Structures are given as structure tokens and as C-alpha cells.
Amino acid sequence: MPHPSENEVTPQSVYSRRHLLMTGAGLAAASAIPSLASTVPIEYPGPQWLQPGLAQRALDASSLTPTPYDVATRYNNFYEFGTDKGDPAKYAQGLKTDPWKVEVTGLANNTGSFDLEAIIARLPLQERITRFRCVEAWSMVLPFIGVPLNQVLKQFDPQGSAKYVAFETLVDPEQMPGQRSRFSSIDWPYVEGLRLDEAMHDLAFLAVGMYGQALPPQNGAPTRLVVPWKYGFKSIKSIVRIHFQEQQPPTSWNRLQPSEYGFYSNVNPSVSHPRWSQASERVVTGSLFPKRQPTLMFNGYDEVASLYSGMDLAKFF
Amino acid sequence: MSPVHGLLWGVAATPLVLLSIQVISLLQGASHNLGGDPAEAIMSELGRYALWMLLVTLLVTPVRQRFPRFTFLVRSRRMLGLWAFAYAILHLVSYGVLVLGLDMSILWQDISQKPYAIAGAVALIALIPLAVTSTQGWQRRLGRRWRQLHKLSYPILVLVWVHFLWQVRVDYTEAAVYFVLGALLLGARTPIGRQFVIISK
């Protein structure tokens, strides 16, 4: 089956049309849709082994309208490639993402170095049209494709003493110009973490694709977390290490500015960032007049509330 | 009117013209470089231009001390300062209209609670009397006090810099550049700095 042409960057209306076509009439028709590209297209087919899974993914019937593809792939925070939102699209295209090793360490029975293919290929992929809220008070709707994180973590058989799981992003200054910058105050590697029960919640997701295709490098190829009830920076990109541990891991933003970025970083409209309000958000669509909408507790994913029963979420922000 | 005055006017207007071209491209659905969040990009660019124009305006006096015969620069300084004010107003308007979608309650929350916003708001308010009294008429009427009043532009520069600095998340490069430029301009107006400016004659 031919892979869909990514020569088309995909505005909203086109994406939803293509979405239908790819599930029904097939891919040949999809590539016939004229490009509405307003900028240089981003071509990223992704690894061969991923294609059958992507094509057979379980679809999400959600009525949420995804962010236009060219916005989702050109407005990114991925400081490994630069601090400007446009830098990742510019500088990440050469990132080698296949083969990709993930090192599993710490309090688990099945540790070692695994090929991403070996972790993912035999799992059925599903699509999740996800609300995504950045700590900078903007939001998108992103149709990710992947697997529930718990299906991956269970493969490593974490031990009873493991209470937290930490994730690390690739460190490779040759491929990642942001890691060469002398003015960045982040200590690489970028580290994020979850409490193990958070990580095992069905909403915690490990993505390998979006918009019907493999994840583009600027969006965290080849694999990233999607933790939709937390601020976006918790959804760590380009993961090379998973570490099970008993203590709460020191995470990158929390270490950099503990008063501004908590370990939990659950989306919470009533806990203001010291420098700006989190009560509402700008819906980023590429429009000159973005819609502003109220931010919801847990980004609207109330089903995770039980994870935090009895906790003061203003203190553990 | 000196051709240099016209040239400086053109330099001051250029960012606005280039930004307007981008906005027109965006509205026509053509290729543009405002990125995925044009509202935020326009707002922050306009703020950046206001800071640039403030720096250029404050460069005029040291240049005149060095080259006293460039008397026409007095009028250019007024023009450049008014451009700084115009960019600052456009910066605020674009924040209110584009970024906040005219939800003024958020603007009020920002200005009443968030230190970065307070610094920016105070700087903008302090620019108003300077813009109003920038005419020759006001200059005559206020006499010596006019100069004292317009020295407010230095604390305003510091406030604008703080407004910028407090929004940096990781990369301090640009803030460091503005710090060096601002420090040189402030230093040039101190008695010692002035000696350096004049000695190089």
C-alpha cells in the first residue's frame, strides 16, 4: 500500500476529509487532494515497520476538530532544537529515528536495551484525538496515534518497590543544535517523570504517530509521551530511556524553576503560574484571531481525579 | 529637512511595513512567516520594535554630543521617540485585540498581578507625558523642567528591559544583548561616560 504523500500540509478541513478517505476509499485518493500549503511542506514518512500499524489503527470517533497539520508541525516547543517555536520544524528534519533504542533500567524485572520496533510493532495502534494544553497558556487538539503507556510499561515488569517512572530524551548535540547552545540553562538530558499509578492510567499514552502518519521529528519522533491532563512539557519527546525508581525523579523544568513548574503539573485553572494566569487559554489554529476559552481542571479529563484524592493540588501543583 | 531625518523615518517605519506585509499575506491565505500563532508573534514583534526604537532614540543625544553640528538630530529624536511610543501602543493593542480577544478582564488580571505586566504597563503609561510634551511648544513652556521630565526615558528603558527579561524561560541571549546596549547608552550620559563620548573627537 503506498504511503500517503506528505507533500500536503494539512489544514483542518483537508485533514478531516483525508481522515475519511484514508479509512474508506484508500490512500491513492488521498494524495489527489490538492495541497493548500501556505508554507514549505514537511516530509516525514517514518520507519517501514510502523506503516501496517498506522494503516490499521483504531480510529477515534471524537468530534473534536484537530489543529491544522501545518500549525501542529511548525509551532513546537522542543528546546533540543532551539527555543523559537519555529526552530524544531527547521532543525529536526535530519533526526535519525530508525532504528531507535530505548534503554530500560531500574526497579523492573525485564530491563535492558530494546528496539522501539520490538516494543511497539506487535501492539495494536489506536488514535486518540487529544486536547493538549501548554503551560504557556495555549492549546491545540492533536490526533495522536500510539498505545496506552501501561501496555508498554507492563512489558518491563516493574517491581513492587517502583513508585515512579522517569523518562529521558536523546542527547546528541550533533543532531540537536539546541544542545550545543551555550545560553541554554537546561541540563541535558531532558528528564520527565510520572508517579507509577499515573503512568499506568489508561489516559497516559505513548505516541508514535499523529494525523494518520508517523510522528514528525519536531513532534517527538519516534516516540513520545502524551499525558493529556498535564501541561505539555510533561509529555516528553524522543524518549531513549525509561527508568523505574522508588523516589520522585528530579525533572527538568522543576529543577530549573521549582516555584513555577511543579512535578505534577496537572492542568489547573485555579493555580496561576507565578508569571501568568492559567485560567484561560488561546486555541492555536494559525488564525490571526485565536479563540480564547476557559481552561478546565485536568484539561477536562476528569477521569484522572481519583489519582489525586486527598492531595492538595495547590501545594502539589 | 535633512535627508538623514527622512532616512531615519524610513528606518523606523520599516518593521511596521514588513510586519504589515506578513499580516496581509496571512489574511489572503498566502505564505507568511508569522508561524503557528500569528497573534502572539505580532504582539511580541511590536513590543520588540518599541524597545529597539527606544534604544535608537536614546542613541541620539550621545551622537549629538560627539557631532554638535548635527543640529537636525534634535527633531529626529522627537520623531524616533514617537515611533517608540507608537510601537508600544500597537504592542498593547495587539495583545488586547489579537491575543486576549478583547477579554479585558484578563488584561486587568495581568496588570494588577503579574510583575512582568506591571513593568510593561508602567513603562507605557510613563511614555504618555513624554509623547504629549514632545512638541517644541511644550519644550519652550516647560523650559529646564522639560529636560528633567524627558530623562524619564532612562527608567522607562530599564522597565521595558525588565518586562522583557521576566518573560524569558530559558534563553537569555537576547535579554543580554539589550542589557549591554542599554548599559552603554545609560553610561554615555554619566559624567565619565560623557568624557569618553567627547574625547573620541
Side-chain angles (χ1 to χ4, degrees), chain A residues 170-193:
Chain A
L170 177 70
V171 179
D172 188 348
E174 260 181 46
Q175 294 197 81
M176 298 176 141
Q179 293 179 338
R180 300 198 293 264
S181 163
R182 258 173 280 164
F183 295 99
S184 169
S185 44
I186 293 183
D187 252 342
W188 312 106
Y190 187 78
V191 177
E192 258 312 329

Side-chain angles (χ1 to χ4, degrees), chain A residues 38 136 261 272-273 275 282 286, chain B residues 31 36-37 114 166 168-169:
Chain A
S38 58
E136 297 166 345
Y261 311 100
S272 174
H273 184 282
R275 289 189 269 176
R282 209 160 67 247
Chain B
S31 171
D37 192 0
K114 301 299 172 188
W166 281 346
V168 173
R169 294 187 70 200

Side-chain angles (χ1 to χ4, degrees), chain A residues 36-39 70-71 74-75 77 79 83 85 134-136 138 181 183-186 233 253 256-257 261 272-277 279-280 282 284-290 292, chain B residues 23 26-27 29-40 42-43 95 97-101 103 106 109-110 113-117 164-173 176:
Chain A
L36 299 179
S38 58
T39 35
D70 57 346
V71 173
R74 287 178 182 77
Y75 189 76
N77 277 327
Y79 284 9
T83 53
K85 299 273 192 304
C134 179
V135 73
E136 297 166 345
W138 53 265
S181 163
F183 295 99
S184 169
S185 44
I186 293 183
F233 68 87
W253 281 104
L256 203 63
Q257 205 55 266
Y261 311 100
S272 174
H273 184 282
R275 289 189 269 176
W276 57 82
S277 163
S280 66
R282 209 160 67 247
V284 172
T285 58
S287 161
L288 187 58
F289 301 98
R292 191 159 264 280
Chain B
V23 172
L26 167 74
L27 290 174
S31 171
H32 63 84
N33 60 17
L34 295 169
D37 192 0
E40 205 279 341
I42 291 164
M43 179 270 292
Y95 183 59
V97 174
L98 303 180
V99 177
L100 299 183
D103 187 340
I106 303 173
Q109 266 179 23
D110 285 346
Q113 294 172 11
K114 301 299 172 188
Y116 90 89
F164 182 87
L165 179 80
W166 281 346
Q167 292 176 83
V168 173
R169 294 187 70 200
V170 164
D171 190 336
Y172 289 89
T173 316

Side-chain angles (χ1 to χ4, degrees), chain A:
Chain A
M1 195 183 277
H3 185 73
S5 156
E6 269 132 344
N7 293 347
E8 70 243 50
V9 278
T10 316
Q12 216 156 299
S13 55
V14 176
Y15 175 68
S16 40
R17 268 153 65 202
R18 201 169 84 182
H19 200 232
L20 293 172
L21 284 163
M22 285 165 77
T23 56
L27 299 175
S31 54
I33 292 171
S35 166
L36 299 179
S38 58
T39 35
V40 186
I42 285 159
E43 290 190 46
Y44 186 72
Q48 264 307 313
W49 62 263
L50 192 58
Q51 304 310 319
L54 288 173
Q56 291 157 26
R57 70 192 185 279
L59 293 172
D60 184 339
S62 155
S63 59
L64 288 171
T65 307
T67 302
Y69 181 75
D70 57 346
V71 173
T73 53
R74 287 178 182 77
Y75 189 76
N76 308 101
N77 277 327
F78 197 172
Y79 284 9
E80 280 78 351
F81 294 101
T83 53
D84 190 271
K85 299 273 192 304
D87 285 344
K90 273 185 234 158
Y91 303 122
Q93 298 311 308
L95 181 67
K96 283 198 241 32
T97 56
D98 186 50
W100 187 270
K101 295 277 190 193
V102 177
E103 202 189 341
V104 178
T105 54
L107 304 172
N109 295 320
N110 184 21
T111 56
S113 182
F114 298 86
D115 265 317
L116 182 64
E117 182 180 356
I119 298 172
I120 297 291
R122 59 204 167 75
L123 298 173
L125 298 187
Q126 48 178 274
E127 178 173 64
R128 285 191 185 176
I129 301 182
T130 308
R131 290 188 298 277
F132 192 85
R133 170 63 156 81
C134 179
V135 73
E136 297 166 345
W138 53 265
S139 69
M140 291 188 184
V141 174
L142 300 169
F144 285 113
I145 300 163
V147 296
L149 180 62
N150 55 34
Q151 288 185 13
V152 170
L153 297 186
K154 278 174 191 160
Q155 296 178 32
F156 310 127
D157 191 13
Q159 296 167 2
S161 51
K163 296 283 177 271
Y164 292 88
V165 56
F167 302 85
E168 283 179 22
T169 298
L170 177 70
V171 179
D172 188 348
E174 260 181 46
Q175 294 197 81
M176 298 176 141
Q179 293 179 338
R180 300 198 293 264
S181 163
R182 258 173 280 164
F183 295 99
S184 169
S185 44
I186 293 183
D187 252 342
W188 312 106
Y190 187 78
V191 177
E192 258 312 329
L194 298 169
R195 230 169 47 196
L196 197 57
D197 60 335
E198 296 179 311
M200 289 296 183
H201 193 283
D202 193 57
L203 259 187
F205 197 64
L206 192 72
V208 291
M210 62 180 216
Y211 294 84
Q213 303 159 13
L215 270 182
Q218 64 270 37
N219 296 86
T223 193
R224 65 171 297 171
L225 287 193
V226 177
V227 194
W229 71 92
K230 292 176 181 282
Y231 292 121
F233 68 87
K234 294 293 290 183
S235 294
I236 184 171
K237 291 170 165 173
S238 303
I239 297 165
V240 294
R241 183 159 177 245
I242 299 174
H243 183 72
F244 295 93
Q245 59 191 87
E246 199 173 349
Q247 306 297 327
Q248 179 177 303
T251 54
S252 288
W253 281 104
N254 181 237
R255 261 185 0 197
L256 203 63
Q257 205 55 266
S259 63
E260 298 189 350
Y261 311 100
F263 171 79
Y264 285 95
S265 286
N266 293 317
V267 175
N268 188 343
S270 58
V271 174
S272 174
H273 184 282
R275 289 189 269 176
W276 57 82
S277 163
Q278 297 289 29
S280 66
E281 64 205 38
R282 209 160 67 247
V283 184
V284 172
T285 58
S287 161
L288 187 58
F289 301 98
K291 196 179 120 202
R292 191 159 264 280
Q293 65 187 24
T295 291
L296 303 174
M297 186 65 206
F298 300 121
N299 204 18
Y301 295 97
D302 292 326
E303 56 266 50
V304 299
S306 60
L307 289 170
Y308 310 103
S309 53
M311 279 176 72
D312 178 358
L313 292 179
K315 188 174 167 217
F316 297 99
F317 59 88

